[in-house]
Amino acid sequence: MDDVIKLDKIAQYNELFGLETFHPLVAVVDLKNATHYPTRFTINYGLYALFLKDVKCGDIRYGKQTYDYQEGTVVSFAPGQVTETELLPDVKPQARGLLFHPDFIKGTSLGREIKQYTFFSYASTEALHLSEEEKGIFTDCLSKINTELARPIDGHTRRLVVRNIELLLDYCMRFYDRQFITRTAVNKDVLTRFETLLDDYFQDRKALENGLPTVRYFADKVCLSPNYFGDLIKKETGKTAQEYIQNKLMDQAKEMILGTDMTVSQIAYELGFQYSQHFNRIFKKNTGCTPNEYRRQQN
């Protein structure tokens, strides 16, 4: 792997691409104006960043996965994420975007609510796929921020820029929600794979090796981040991924309680619980009775 660039300052990014710095904590960038750029680089982000890719100019990798972006998509990164980018030969990057330091939004409503913008916490293969109209909205928001940054900094600058960043992120959340509707076929396929993997988890007795099934386990299996996967399942089923898993767990527990002579402790162990007391609490919370009471009631 190349040396990792720890990107903590706006000026570092601008220096990487030969761009001018107008504000130390926030920047609107257009890579068409880049005077130089590396062809392969790895960045550990200490900033928030969103880019609208006008042309697919190479691959972006997060971990072992290649980021799912094409022309006209938005990719987003948050502090703590590490990405490796490799540009195609003889293709100049064409992307417009926004970078801002976490300190810039501290003490603001955006700073308090930044975690609601879940697209920032995607960890593998997701991007926002925009329509032509949505791309226009995105670039218009960037233009408003850039106009404000081009003015001399005064007592209103930070508040106005933060409000416009918040507006841009709100639009991105709208695009994100719309994407779950327009990509229904893809989402249904993920849900089908999830259901199959969940059935296999218990049929193949993976709980004995891995313990209780987790959202992260299934998200990894379908090559999605836990946040994106959880949002997808919620949109498709009305239940959280954790609720979906727990319902399957309880169905499996009821089958074993009524269909076998295994003790409650043995069933708890087979399902991945470390302690039967934990299993008893979860079962009672979901059914209103203990496993032994459930067995007696059904006999």
Side-chain angles (χ1 to χ4, degrees):
M1 178 183 284
D2 301 332
D3 291 339
V4 177
I5 301 167
K6 186 70 171 71
L7 191 65
D8 291 322
K9 298 177 181 178
I10 295 295
Q12 285 177 274
Y13 185 88
N14 287 334
E15 184 179 346
L16 187 65
F17 288 95
L19 298 169
E20 191 174 354
T21 298
F22 295 98
H23 193 288
L25 296 178
V26 60
V28 173
V29 299
D30 188 340
L31 293 186
K32 286 190 293 187
N33 299 324
T35 56
H36 58 78
Y37 46 87
T39 57
R40 180 185 173 97
F41 51 94
T42 301
I43 292 179
N44 182 344
Y45 279 88
L47 311 170
Y48 289 98
L50 298 94
F51 300 99
L52 172 61
K53 298 288 186 176
D54 293 325
V55 173
K56 179 159 185 177
C57 52
D59 289 329
I60 300 174
R61 284 179 290 279
Y62 190 109
K64 297 179 180 178
Q65 302 296 330
T66 299
Y67 213 118
D68 171 26
Y69 83 92
Q70 303 150 11
E71 295 180 15
T73 57
V74 173
V75 294
S76 53
F77 309 107
Q81 294 183 356
V82 179
T83 64
E84 180 186 345
T85 301
E86 185 170 1
L87 301 178
L88 295 171
D90 302 319
V91 177
K92 184 174 181 178
Q94 294 187 42
R96 289 161 288 175
L98 171 73
L99 299 101
F100 59 96
H101 196 284
D103 286 352
F104 188 70
I105 61 173
K106 275 187 169 50
T108 69
S109 61
L110 178 57
R112 291 188 292 273
E113 298 173 6
I114 190 70
K115 291 191 181 299
Q116 75 169 316
Y117 301 105
T118 50
F119 49 82
F120 272 124
S121 55
Y122 294 171
S124 54
T125 63
E126 307 85 25
L128 294 175
H129 302 255
L130 304 192
S131 68
E132 287 301 318
E133 180 185 7
E134 290 167 346
K135 283 188 278 185
I137 293 170
F138 188 95
T139 55
D140 183 58
C141 287
L142 289 184
S143 295
K144 286 182 169 62
I145 296 169
N146 198 42
T147 297
E148 187 58 41
L149 291 175
R151 295 170 55 87
I153 296 176
D154 59 27
H156 301 280
T157 300
R158 181 169 178 258
R159 180 165 56 89
L160 290 170
V161 172
V162 168
R163 283 184 177 177
N164 278 288
I165 292 175
E166 194 164 10
L167 178 63
L168 173 62
L169 299 185
D170 284 342
Y171 272 119
C172 285
M173 280 303 296
R174 171 182 280 177
F175 306 154
Y176 170 49
D177 289 339
R178 184 270 308 149
Q179 180 165 297
F180 280 105
I181 298 171
T182 57
R183 291 164 69 86
T184 299
V186 175
N187 297 345
K188 291 290 186 184
D189 180 59
V190 171
L191 180 58
T192 300
R193 290 164 63 195
F194 175 39
E195 291 172 339
T196 301
L197 287 164
L198 195 49
D199 287 336
D200 291 345
Y201 195 89
F202 294 110
Q203 290 173 10
D204 297 342
R205 305 180 74 193
K206 288 186 171 65
L208 292 174
E209 178 182 349
N210 301 323
L212 290 170
T214 64
V215 173
R216 179 173 291 279
Y217 173 87
F218 296 107
D220 287 345
K221 289 294 182 182
V222 298
C223 297
L224 295 174
S225 67
N227 273 29
Y228 189 95
F229 177 72
D231 287 345
L232 188 155
I233 298 302
K234 178 74 171 178
K235 294 280 184 184
E236 290 295 322
T237 70
K239 298 176 183 176
T240 66
Q242 186 59 49
E243 288 170 341
Y244 206 91
I245 291 170
Q246 192 159 101
N247 286 346
K248 176 64 72 172
L249 184 66
M250 290 299 101
D251 286 344
Q252 191 69 20
K254 291 173 183 177
E255 278 293 328
M256 297 173 76
I257 290 168
L258 300 182
T260 74
D261 294 326
M262 296 170 67
T263 66
V264 170
S265 293
Q266 288 171 327
I267 292 171
Y269 179 69
E270 287 281 329
L271 292 175
F273 287 89
Q274 282 190 299
Y275 305 102
S276 60
Q277 296 94 323
H278 183 202
F279 171 57
N280 286 341
R281 284 198 304 273
I282 296 293
F283 191 90
K284 186 170 185 178
K285 182 179 179 181
N286 280 269
T287 66
C289 59
T290 66
N292 280 327
E293 288 170 346
Y294 182 80
R295 179 173 269 168
R296 286 195 297 269
Q297 289 170 6
Q298 303 302 317
N299 288 334

